[in-house]
PDB file of all heavy atoms in Angstrom:
ATOM      1  N   ALA O   1      -2.586  -1.250  15.001  1.00 94.00           N
ATOM      2  CA  ALA O   1      -2.478  -2.549  15.998  1.00 94.00           C
ATOM      3  C   ALA O   1      -2.377  -1.965  17.447  1.00 94.00           C
ATOM      4  O   ALA O   1      -2.936  -2.582  18.289  1.00 94.00           O
ATOM      5  CB  ALA O   1      -1.250  -3.351  15.605  1.00 94.00           C
ATOM      6  N   ARG O   2      -1.702  -0.808  17.609  1.00 93.00           N
ATOM      7  CA  ARG O   2      -1.553  -0.309  19.055  1.00 93.00           C
ATOM      8  C   ARG O   2      -2.776   0.487  19.559  1.00 93.00           C
ATOM      9  O   ARG O   2      -2.867   0.814  20.775  1.00 93.00           O
ATOM     10  CB  ARG O   2      -0.378   0.525  19.104  1.00 93.00           C
ATOM     11  CG  ARG O   2       0.955  -0.138  19.103  1.00 93.00           C
ATOM     12  CD  ARG O   2       2.138   0.712  19.510  1.00 93.00           C
ATOM     13  NE  ARG O   2       2.367   1.801  18.687  1.00 93.00           N
ATOM     14  CZ  ARG O   2       3.125   1.862  17.592  1.00 93.00           C
ATOM     15  NH1 ARG O   2       3.937   0.890  17.344  1.00 93.00           N
ATOM     16  NH2 ARG O   2       3.342   2.944  16.867  1.00 93.00           N
ATOM     17  N   ALA O   3      -3.628   0.972  18.627  1.00 92.00           N
ATOM     18  CA  ALA O   3      -4.795   1.689  18.995  1.00 92.00           C
ATOM     19  C   ALA O   3      -5.794   0.945  19.890  1.00 92.00           C
ATOM     20  O   ALA O   3      -5.915  -0.274  19.728  1.00 92.00           O
ATOM     21  CB  ALA O   3      -5.405   2.355  17.752  1.00 92.00           C
ATOM     22  N   THR O   4      -6.634   1.654  20.544  1.00 88.00           N
ATOM     23  CA  THR O   4      -7.617   1.027  21.364  1.00 88.00           C
ATOM     24  C   THR O   4      -8.773   0.828  20.464  1.00 88.00           C
ATOM     25  O   THR O   4      -9.348   1.872  19.905  1.00 88.00           O
ATOM     26  CB  THR O   4      -8.116   1.962  22.668  1.00 88.00           C
ATOM     27  OG1 THR O   4      -6.876   2.196  23.368  1.00 88.00           O
ATOM     28  CG2 THR O   4      -9.050   1.240  23.436  1.00 88.00           C
ATOM     29  N   MET O   5      -9.295  -0.325  20.446  1.00 85.00           N
ATOM     30  CA  MET O   5     -10.486  -0.670  19.547  1.00 85.00           C
ATOM     31  C   MET O   5     -11.648  -1.165  20.215  1.00 85.00           C
ATOM     32  O   MET O   5     -11.546  -1.657  21.357  1.00 85.00           O
ATOM     33  CB  MET O   5     -10.135  -1.607  18.499  1.00 85.00           C
ATOM     34  CG  MET O   5      -9.104  -1.115  17.372  1.00 85.00           C
ATOM     35  SD  MET O   5      -8.933  -2.247  15.961  1.00 85.00           S
ATOM     36  CE  MET O   5      -7.439  -1.535  15.200  1.00 85.00           C
ATOM     37  N   GLN O   6     -12.910  -0.969  19.700  1.00 84.00           N
ATOM     38  CA  GLN O   6     -14.131  -1.436  20.262  1.00 84.00           C
ATOM     39  C   GLN O   6     -14.261  -2.915  19.812  1.00 84.00           C
ATOM     40  O   GLN O   6     -13.659  -3.398  18.890  1.00 84.00           O
ATOM     41  CB  GLN O   6     -15.238  -0.601  19.653  1.00 84.00           C
ATOM     42  CG  GLN O   6     -15.213   0.856  20.088  1.00 84.00           C
ATOM     43  CD  GLN O   6     -15.167   1.142  21.538  1.00 84.00           C
ATOM     44  OE1 GLN O   6     -15.881   0.543  22.235  1.00 84.00           O
ATOM     45  NE2 GLN O   6     -14.279   2.019  21.858  1.00 84.00           N
ATOM     46  N   PRO O   7     -15.018  -3.625  20.602  1.00 84.00           N
ATOM     47  CA  PRO O   7     -15.163  -5.093  20.270  1.00 84.00           C
ATOM     48  C   PRO O   7     -15.716  -5.399  18.990  1.00 84.00           C
ATOM     49  O   PRO O   7     -15.337  -6.328  18.402  1.00 84.00           O
ATOM     50  CB  PRO O   7     -16.297  -5.518  21.379  1.00 84.00           C
ATOM     51  CG  PRO O   7     -16.129  -4.625  22.467  1.00 84.00           C
ATOM     52  CD  PRO O   7     -15.811  -3.231  21.905  1.00 84.00           C
ATOM     53  N   GLN O   8     -16.621  -4.444  18.404  1.00 83.00           N
ATOM     54  CA  GLN O   8     -17.099  -4.686  17.143  1.00 83.00           C
ATOM     55  C   GLN O   8     -15.990  -4.404  15.939  1.00 83.00           C
ATOM     56  O   GLN O   8     -16.256  -4.653  14.751  1.00 83.00           O
ATOM     57  CB  GLN O   8     -18.332  -3.685  16.789  1.00 83.00           C
ATOM     58  CG  GLN O   8     -17.991  -2.246  16.913  1.00 83.00           C
ATOM     59  CD  GLN O   8     -18.252  -1.715  18.298  1.00 83.00           C
ATOM     60  OE1 GLN O   8     -18.128  -2.422  19.188  1.00 83.00           O
ATOM     61  NE2 GLN O   8     -18.578  -0.384  18.359  1.00 83.00           N
ATOM     62  N   GLU O   9     -14.845  -3.914  16.416  1.00 88.00           N
ATOM     63  CA  GLU O   9     -13.769  -3.657  15.423  1.00 88.00           C
ATOM     64  C   GLU O   9     -12.780  -4.889  15.389  1.00 88.00           C
ATOM     65  O   GLU O   9     -11.653  -4.721  14.818  1.00 88.00           O
ATOM     66  CB  GLU O   9     -12.960  -2.418  15.716  1.00 88.00           C
ATOM     67  CG  GLU O   9     -13.894  -1.144  15.575  1.00 88.00           C
ATOM     68  CD  GLU O   9     -13.156   0.150  15.942  1.00 88.00           C
ATOM     69  OE1 GLU O   9     -12.731   0.214  17.017  1.00 88.00           O
ATOM     70  OE2 GLU O   9     -13.012   0.922  14.978  1.00 88.00           O
ATOM     71  N   GLU O  10     -13.204  -6.024  15.938  1.00 92.00           N
ATOM     72  CA  GLU O  10     -12.238  -7.137  16.005  1.00 92.00           C
ATOM     73  C   GLU O  10     -11.811  -7.697  14.622  1.00 92.00           C
ATOM     74  O   GLU O  10     -10.504  -7.964  14.414  1.00 92.00           O
ATOM     75  CB  GLU O  10     -12.959  -8.421  16.650  1.00 92.00           C
ATOM     76  CG  GLU O  10     -12.057  -9.591  16.989  1.00 92.00           C
ATOM     77  CD  GLU O  10     -12.759 -10.627  17.866  1.00 92.00           C
ATOM     78  OE1 GLU O  10     -12.715 -10.453  19.107  1.00 92.00           O
ATOM     79  OE2 GLU O  10     -13.197 -11.574  17.148  1.00 92.00           O
ATOM     80  N   ALA O  11     -12.760  -7.661  13.601  1.00 92.00           N
ATOM     81  CA  ALA O  11     -12.369  -8.031  12.324  1.00 92.00           C
ATOM     82  C   ALA O  11     -11.234  -7.095  11.661  1.00 92.00           C
ATOM     83  O   ALA O  11     -10.376  -7.566  11.008  1.00 92.00           O
ATOM     84  CB  ALA O  11     -13.599  -8.068  11.463  1.00 92.00           C
ATOM     85  N   LEU O  12     -11.267  -5.949  12.055  1.00 94.00           N
ATOM     86  CA  LEU O  12     -10.296  -4.845  11.526  1.00 94.00           C
ATOM     87  C   LEU O  12      -8.992  -5.283  12.196  1.00 94.00           C
ATOM     88  O   LEU O  12      -7.922  -5.305  11.530  1.00 94.00           O
ATOM     89  CB  LEU O  12     -10.686  -3.514  11.889  1.00 94.00           C
ATOM     90  CG  LEU O  12      -9.674  -2.441  11.464  1.00 94.00           C
ATOM     91  CD1 LEU O  12      -9.436  -2.351  10.079  1.00 94.00           C
ATOM     92  CD2 LEU O  12     -10.077  -0.999  12.128  1.00 94.00           C
ATOM     93  N   LEU O  13      -8.973  -5.659  13.463  1.00 95.00           N
ATOM     94  CA  LEU O  13      -7.749  -5.965  14.181  1.00 95.00           C
ATOM     95  C   LEU O  13      -7.209  -7.208  13.591  1.00 95.00           C
ATOM     96  O   LEU O  13      -5.901  -7.293  13.445  1.00 95.00           O
ATOM     97  CB  LEU O  13      -8.060  -6.064  15.845  1.00 95.00           C
ATOM     98  CG  LEU O  13      -6.725  -6.213  16.580  1.00 95.00           C
ATOM     99  CD1 LEU O  13      -5.880  -4.904  16.452  1.00 95.00           C
ATOM    100  CD2 LEU O  13      -7.301  -6.300  18.044  1.00 95.00           C
ATOM    101  N   ILE O  14      -7.980  -8.097  13.243  1.00 96.00           N
ATOM    102  CA  ILE O  14      -7.499  -9.429  12.682  1.00 96.00           C
ATOM    103  C   ILE O  14      -6.808  -9.174  11.343  1.00 96.00           C
ATOM    104  O   ILE O  14      -5.621  -9.618  11.052  1.00 96.00           O
ATOM    105  CB  ILE O  14      -8.592 -10.337  12.516  1.00 96.00           C
ATOM    106  CG1 ILE O  14      -9.073 -10.934  13.885  1.00 96.00           C
ATOM    107  CG2 ILE O  14      -8.274 -11.556  11.579  1.00 96.00           C
ATOM    108  CD1 ILE O  14     -10.390 -11.673  13.793  1.00 96.00           C
ATOM    109  N   GLN O  15      -7.513  -8.250  10.546  1.00 95.00           N
ATOM    110  CA  GLN O  15      -6.880  -7.937   9.263  1.00 95.00           C
ATOM    111  C   GLN O  15      -5.505  -7.086   9.329  1.00 95.00           C
ATOM    112  O   GLN O  15      -4.622  -7.552   8.607  1.00 95.00           O
ATOM    113  CB  GLN O  15      -7.942  -6.993   8.481  1.00 95.00           C
ATOM    114  CG  GLN O  15      -7.315  -6.528   7.223  1.00 95.00           C
ATOM    115  CD  GLN O  15      -8.326  -5.271   6.606  1.00 95.00           C
ATOM    116  OE1 GLN O  15      -9.445  -5.231   7.100  1.00 95.00           O
ATOM    117  NE2 GLN O  15      -7.714  -4.414   5.919  1.00 95.00           N
ATOM    118  N   VAL O  16      -5.538  -6.321  10.311  1.00 97.00           N
ATOM    119  CA  VAL O  16      -4.315  -5.545  10.584  1.00 97.00           C
ATOM    120  C   VAL O  16      -3.037  -6.402  10.913  1.00 97.00           C
ATOM    121  O   VAL O  16      -2.045  -6.286  10.350  1.00 97.00           O
ATOM    122  CB  VAL O  16      -4.597  -4.356  11.487  1.00 97.00           C
ATOM    123  CG1 VAL O  16      -3.290  -3.738  11.966  1.00 97.00           C
ATOM    124  CG2 VAL O  16      -5.527  -3.297  10.963  1.00 97.00           C
ATOM    125  N   ASN O  17      -3.418  -7.259  11.796  1.00 97.00           N
ATOM    126  CA  ASN O  17      -2.332  -8.295  12.371  1.00 97.00           C
ATOM    127  C   ASN O  17      -1.787  -9.051  11.227  1.00 97.00           C
ATOM    128  O   ASN O  17      -0.604  -9.501  11.227  1.00 97.00           O
ATOM    129  CB  ASN O  17      -2.682  -8.774  13.638  1.00 97.00           C
ATOM    130  CG  ASN O  17      -2.557  -8.008  14.951  1.00 97.00           C
ATOM    131  OD1 ASN O  17      -1.293  -7.664  15.318  1.00 97.00           O
ATOM    132  ND2 ASN O  17      -3.636  -7.449  15.454  1.00 97.00           N
ATOM    133  N   THR O  18      -2.833  -9.583  10.518  1.00 97.00           N
ATOM    134  CA  THR O  18      -2.286 -10.510   9.245  1.00 97.00           C
ATOM    135  C   THR O  18      -1.426  -9.810   8.385  1.00 97.00           C
ATOM    136  O   THR O  18      -0.391 -10.306   8.119  1.00 97.00           O
ATOM    137  CB  THR O  18      -3.630 -10.977   8.550  1.00 97.00           C
ATOM    138  OG1 THR O  18      -4.513 -11.748   9.507  1.00 97.00           O
ATOM    139  CG2 THR O  18      -3.238 -11.960   7.506  1.00 97.00           C
ATOM    140  N   ASN O  19      -1.800  -8.590   7.944  1.00 97.00           N
ATOM    141  CA  ASN O  19      -0.909  -7.838   7.029  1.00 97.00           C
ATOM    142  C   ASN O  19       0.320  -7.468   7.752  1.00 97.00           C
ATOM    143  O   ASN O  19       1.342  -7.496   7.093  1.00 97.00           O
ATOM    144  CB  ASN O  19      -1.673  -6.553   6.523  1.00 97.00           C
ATOM    145  CG  ASN O  19      -2.793  -7.074   5.600  1.00 97.00           C
ATOM    146  OD1 ASN O  19      -2.812  -7.959   4.885  1.00 97.00           O
ATOM    147  ND2 ASN O  19      -3.738  -6.137   5.505  1.00 97.00           N
ATOM    148  N   LEU O  20       0.307  -7.174   8.970  1.00 98.00           N
ATOM    149  CA  LEU O  20       1.469  -6.792   9.779  1.00 98.00           C
ATOM    150  C   LEU O  20       2.507  -7.910   9.823  1.00 98.00           C
ATOM    151  O   LEU O  20       3.813  -7.833   9.629  1.00 98.00           O
ATOM    152  CB  LEU O  20       1.150  -6.283  11.145  1.00 98.00           C
ATOM    153  CG  LEU O  20       2.195  -5.638  12.027  1.00 98.00           C
ATOM    154  CD1 LEU O  20       2.875  -4.484  11.301  1.00 98.00           C
ATOM    155  CD2 LEU O  20       1.693  -5.195  13.433  1.00 98.00           C
ATOM    156  N   ALA O  21       1.935  -9.152  10.120  1.00 97.00           N
ATOM    157  CA  ALA O  21       2.722 -10.340  10.098  1.00 97.00           C
ATOM    158  C   ALA O  21       3.452 -10.596   8.731  1.00 97.00           C
ATOM    159  O   ALA O  21       4.609 -10.934   8.818  1.00 97.00           O
ATOM    160  CB  ALA O  21       1.895 -11.576  10.446  1.00 97.00           C
ATOM    161  N   MET O  22       2.805 -10.363   7.636  1.00 97.00           N
ATOM    162  CA  MET O  22       3.365 -10.465   6.391  1.00 97.00           C
ATOM    163  C   MET O  22       4.419  -9.496   6.143  1.00 97.00           C
ATOM    164  O   MET O  22       5.524  -9.894   5.568  1.00 97.00           O
ATOM    165  CB  MET O  22       2.267 -10.400   5.213  1.00 97.00           C
ATOM    166  CG  MET O  22       1.209 -11.425   5.223  1.00 97.00           C
ATOM    167  SD  MET O  22       0.020 -11.175   3.945  1.00 97.00           S
ATOM    168  CE  MET O  22      -1.251 -12.488   4.238  1.00 97.00           C
ATOM    169  N   ALA O  23       4.263  -8.188   6.480  1.00 97.00           N
ATOM    170  CA  ALA O  23       5.134  -7.192   6.373  1.00 97.00           C
ATOM    171  C   ALA O  23       6.504  -7.464   7.210  1.00 97.00           C
ATOM    172  O   ALA O  23       7.648  -7.414   6.657  1.00 97.00           O
ATOM    173  CB  ALA O  23       4.648  -5.860   6.910  1.00 97.00           C
ATOM    174  N   TYR O  24       6.292  -7.967   8.402  1.00 97.00           N
ATOM    175  CA  TYR O  24       7.459  -8.358   9.232  1.00 97.00           C
ATOM    176  C   TYR O  24       8.170  -9.446   8.547  1.00 97.00           C
ATOM    177  O   TYR O  24       9.454  -9.511   8.475  1.00 97.00           O
ATOM    178  CB  TYR O  24       6.993  -8.828  10.600  1.00 97.00           C
ATOM    179  CG  TYR O  24       6.565  -7.658  11.546  1.00 97.00           C
ATOM    180  CD1 TYR O  24       5.625  -7.868  12.466  1.00 97.00           C
ATOM    181  CD2 TYR O  24       7.295  -6.417  11.510  1.00 97.00           C
ATOM    182  CE1 TYR O  24       5.187  -6.767  13.252  1.00 97.00           C
ATOM    183  CE2 TYR O  24       6.850  -5.349  12.329  1.00 97.00           C
ATOM    184  CZ  TYR O  24       5.906  -5.479  13.290  1.00 97.00           C
ATOM    185  OH  TYR O  24       5.422  -4.570  14.029  1.00 97.00           O
ATOM    186  N   ASP O  25       7.506 -10.489   7.939  1.00 96.00           N
ATOM    187  CA  ASP O  25       8.136 -11.666   7.427  1.00 96.00           C
ATOM    188  C   ASP O  25       8.975 -11.104   6.063  1.00 96.00           C
ATOM    189  O   ASP O  25      10.104 -11.530   5.959  1.00 96.00           O
ATOM    190  CB  ASP O  25       7.070 -12.559   6.888  1.00 96.00           C
ATOM    191  CG  ASP O  25       7.639 -13.898   6.480  1.00 96.00           C
ATOM    192  OD1 ASP O  25       8.940 -14.157   6.629  1.00 96.00           O
ATOM    193  OD2 ASP O  25       6.963 -14.665   5.782  1.00 96.00           O
TER     194      ASP O  25
END
């Protein structure tokens, strides 16, 4: 989530933050 990503990697960032939210919960 902290890494610098390219615009085409937006789907990956969405997936990572979704799973991260579940882990935090």
Side-chain angles (χ1 to χ4, degrees):
R2 287 194 297 265
T4 301
M5 293 194 187
Q6 300 301 316
Q8 62 269 24
E9 294 178 301
E10 187 175 278
L12 178 63
L13 192 57
I14 290 169
Q15 173 195 335
V16 166
N17 276 290
T18 301
N19 289 333
L20 190 55
M22 292 180 188
Y24 285 145
D25 190 13

